[in-house]
Amino acid sequence: MIEFKDVNKWYGKLHVLNDINLKIEKGEVLVICGPSGSGKSTLIRCINRLEKIQKGEITVNETPVHTRTTNLTKLRAQVGFVFQQFHLYPHMTVLQNIMLAPVNVKHMVKGKAEEIAREKLVQVGMPEKSGAYPAQLSGGQQQRVAIARGLAMSPEIMLFDEPTSALDPEMIGEVLDVMVNLVSEGMTMCVVTHEMGFAKKVADRVLFMDEGKIIETGTPGQFFDNPQTERAADFISKILTH
Amino acid sequence: MMSFYFSRLVEIYPFFFTGLWMTCKIAFISLFTCTILGFVLGIFRAGDNKILKFIIGIYVAFVRGTPFVVQIFIIFFILPEWGIQLDAFPAALLAMAIMGSAFICEIVAGGINAVPKGQWEAAVSSGLSFVQQLRLVIVPQSMRVILPPLVGQYVLLIKDTSVVSVIGVMELTRVGWVTVVRIPEGLMVFSLVGILYFSISYPLILLSNYLEQRMAVK
């Protein structure tokens, strides 16, 4: 479903993605972890072309992403993205946030879009907040709305960039619950996170990155209990004691 | 003596209203064009295209760094030497559009830059086109920052229309000049001119103050 072939990216001299080769199958849940600055966020930001790459190729559903002729609107309608800082539109209500892309990108009629938006709000467990503005919501609620906003486009893939890192500890659970439910519906997901509990519970594969390279991949069991590289072992011990 | 002049002034009051009307016309048309031009320039000034940014930067610096009178003279007296002959009225409008758009460009660019980068990324990721990103997500948020100084700029622009009197456009200030030749009571004549300007500007000043308070709340 998603394929990276020899992908390289530099920020000036900094080699942020170094010969990335990766295949993500339909329905797979991939958790990406690694120290900060390892390139894990950049990796998933390249999938919907929030970032450009300098070498190699990324395809989504066999369609190359980084070409001049890529239909970006179509690509981005297939790929939902959830940010660390939520990035809800502060001047719109929850419902308007969720309806914006379906109405303006998919040209859905308002009534239909609203129906879907309310459905998605039920799915993330906050149907009563449809008329609220983002500033009136807690961080956990905002992130759940952001997930609903992504889902409203009926994407085939959801990308999560540290979705719980900006949250107070007591709100992490409600967001992870929504994500776990999504897994059970068979959504293809790439999740950048340090939530080991989440990884152990639902990930099909864990990918460990450092200095722009994929150092190690494996099932959560293999990776957490029996890491193959010293760097991964070191990283795991650090997030365990933290 | 004073009352004699006053009664003459009363006799010619329609003259002042034609001047006021001309001032309003110049102000209205140029505020309109300045706003559109200023938004377009401001959007690119805040954008990613380095070359466009640079060119607009030079334009803005040049316009902001030279007196408006000089700009009008260039348009009205120098352009004809290169074969571009404009009447006083269109020359005045052109000068106003160039000057106003440069100032509004900076206000708009500042407002757009004040919107967090994540808002662009969220809008991009959801598949919105560039124009939709601006129209639906970025500009509505930046209006909070843009609107108060924009209305303030409108007041300045309206007052700057008085400068176009130097090329003979018969607007309010020019009317004052012409009148004072016949009625040598400068204080009276220009008080009237001042009051008429004030009557257009003051409501906008109030609006600007109001917007500033309202926008600052959140």
Side-chain angles (χ1 to χ4, degrees), chain A residues 31 33 193-201 203 206 216 218-227 232-233 235-237 239-240:
Chain A
V31 164
C33 60
T193 186
H194 293 161
E195 291 298 329
M196 307 247 293
F198 175 80
K200 281 183 179 162
K201 196 164 158 190
V206 177
E216 197 171 325
T219 63
Q222 288 165 353
F223 178 73
F224 288 116
D225 301 333
N226 190 16
F235 176 75
I236 292 167
S237 74
I239 52 174
L240 275 178

Side-chain angles (χ1 to χ4, degrees), chain A residues 45 48 50 73 76 79 81 83 87-92 100-101 104-105 107 149 153, chain B residues 117-119 121-129 132-133 135-138 140-141 218:
Chain A
R45 286 164 63 92
N48 75 342
L50 273 178
T73 305
R76 286 167 177 157
V79 182
F81 201 105
F83 299 89
H87 299 326
L88 292 180
Y89 309 130
H91 59 303
M92 297 182 191
L100 186 76
N104 290 287
V105 179
H107 306 292
R149 178 173 68 176
M153 290 292 277
Chain B
K117 203 165 156 257
Q119 292 292 313
E121 293 190 342
V124 165
S125 300
S126 68
L128 295 174
S129 69
Q132 286 175 326
Q133 291 161 31
R135 182 169 61 86
L136 301 167
V137 177
I138 304 302
Q141 291 184 59
K218 232 181 188 177

Side-chain angles (χ1 to χ4, degrees), chain A residues 27-158:
Chain A
E28 187 175 0
V29 177
L30 177 72
V31 164
I32 304 168
C33 60
S36 66
S38 60
K40 50 197 195 306
S41 289
T42 309
L43 182 90
I44 66 164
R45 286 164 63 92
C46 289
I47 297 174
N48 75 342
R49 217 167 106 178
L50 273 178
E51 304 278 350
K52 288 180 186 146
I53 58 174
Q54 276 90 44
K55 246 178 83 184
E57 190 181 59
I58 300 172
T59 56
V60 172
N61 278 335
E62 260 88 72
T63 314
V65 174
H66 292 265
T67 60
R68 209 171 254 278
T69 53
T70 306
N71 183 342
L72 280 174
T73 305
K74 197 174 155 218
L75 167 78
R76 286 167 177 157
Q78 291 170 15
V79 182
F81 201 105
V82 175
F83 299 89
Q84 183 179 355
Q85 302 286 350
F86 337 127
H87 299 326
L88 292 180
Y89 309 130
H91 59 303
M92 297 182 191
T93 64
V94 164
L95 206 58
Q96 289 168 335
N97 263 278
I98 304 175
M99 287 166 62
L100 186 76
V103 169
N104 290 287
V105 179
K106 285 193 162 175
H107 306 292
M108 208 178 270
V109 290
K110 282 224 166 99
K112 178 77 184 148
E114 186 175 334
E115 194 182 307
I116 292 176
R118 290 191 186 279
E119 215 171 88
K120 299 302 171 193
L121 274 178
V122 171
Q123 192 177 343
V124 300
M126 37 192 305
E128 75 288 356
K129 293 291 186 189
S130 62
Y133 282 89
Q136 299 166 319
L137 303 177
S138 71
Q141 289 173 325
Q142 289 192 48
Q143 193 60 299
R144 286 189 281 154
V145 172
I147 294 172
R149 178 173 68 176
L151 293 176
M153 290 292 277
S154 331
E156 298 176 41
I157 301 160
M158 285 291 283

